[in-house]
Amino acid sequence: MRKIALYPGTFDPVTLGHLDIIRRGLRLFDSVVVTVAGNLGKKSLFNAQERKSLVEASVKGLKGVSVITHEGLTVDLAQEIGAVAILRGLRSMTDFDDEYQMAAMNARMQPDVETVFLSARADHAATASRLIKEVAKGGGAVDLFVPKPVVIPLTERLKQLK
Ligand code: ADP
């Protein structure tokens, strides 16, 4: 049986840390379906379609990855597409606290879907979309933290907001 993992997130925007989780997930699963959280109103820098397009451009050439957007519960989507696992990344104890609770609740709702955590690699352990936006606002070198296709859209979007 082909094993599918669902990798949910906001991806506002996708970072090299996310990409690392996707690559490593592909070593464990036959395919990884990245699911971009639906529109978050004014809270996000990019809308869902833009975030999805940026993930697509960033995973180009990686075999076994597809990208979708979704509004409802992740566990329901996992069940719908026949995923055996929800893939998540852990950077810190704060991530752990949140993720552990979410995994426990998801397991109550869908006991057949496991949550698999990959710990962030040292290079990416401090990389967070929220901080990258601050770096970009300050005119910093975002190419250290985001995939190439994200660099220009990110700097342009922040310029427009100024
Ligand atoms: P969410 O809003 O669901 O936390 P994110 O887009 O911030 O969505 O992250 C999606 C997943 O990727 C989460 O499990 C998060 O912990 C993980 N993640 C984010 N950045 C990194 C990173 N630099 N290294 C490893 N995992 C990460």
Side-chain angles (χ1 to χ4, degrees):
M1 195 183 79
R2 288 181 60 76
K3 296 212 186 284
I4 305 171
L6 189 62
Y7 180 36
T10 308
F11 304 106
D12 187 39
V14 61
T15 70
L16 292 177
H18 294 130
L19 211 54
D20 188 52
I21 298 292
I22 295 170
R23 284 211 180 90
R24 289 162 61 202
L26 284 171
R27 291 158 70 178
L28 300 172
F29 300 96
D30 297 304
S31 61
V32 172
V33 178
V34 181
T35 174
V36 175
N39 274 327
L40 311 166
K42 285 197 177 135
K43 274 191 283 176
S44 68
L45 187 60
F46 295 100
N47 68 34
Q49 206 48 47
E50 292 168 330
R51 284 180 275 126
K52 175 174 180 263
S53 300
L54 291 175
V55 178
E56 276 167 345
S58 305
V59 299
K60 227 179 185 168
L62 279 185
K63 268 211 175 105
V65 187
S66 51
V67 191
I68 59 175
T69 60
H70 183 247
E71 301 274 353
L73 282 180
T74 304
V75 277
D76 290 342
L77 177 65
Q79 177 89 347
E80 221 172 274
I81 67 166
V84 292
I86 294 169
L87 186 61
R88 297 287 287 176
L90 292 179
R91 287 162 294 186
S92 60
M93 287 308 284
T94 320
D95 271 357
F96 177 81
D97 276 346
D98 295 343
E99 297 288 339
Y100 182 80
Q101 248 186 326
M102 207 156 33
M105 289 184 68
N106 283 340
R108 281 295 299 278
M109 292 186 279
Q110 287 292 358
D112 295 339
V113 179
E114 292 292 341
T115 299
V116 170
F117 299 115
L118 294 180
S119 54
R121 288 269 156 87
D123 282 0
H124 303 299
T127 301
S129 304
R130 179 179 57 83
L131 297 176
I132 289 170
K133 284 180 262 193
E134 294 303 316
V135 172
K137 265 187 217 160
V142 287
D143 54 345
L144 291 171
F145 308 108
V146 296
K148 246 201 183 106
V150 178
V151 175
I152 291 176
L154 177 58
T155 37
E156 290 297 312
R157 177 59 50 93
L158 285 165
K159 250 190 235 158
Q160 285 165 12
L161 293 181
K162 267 186 185 169

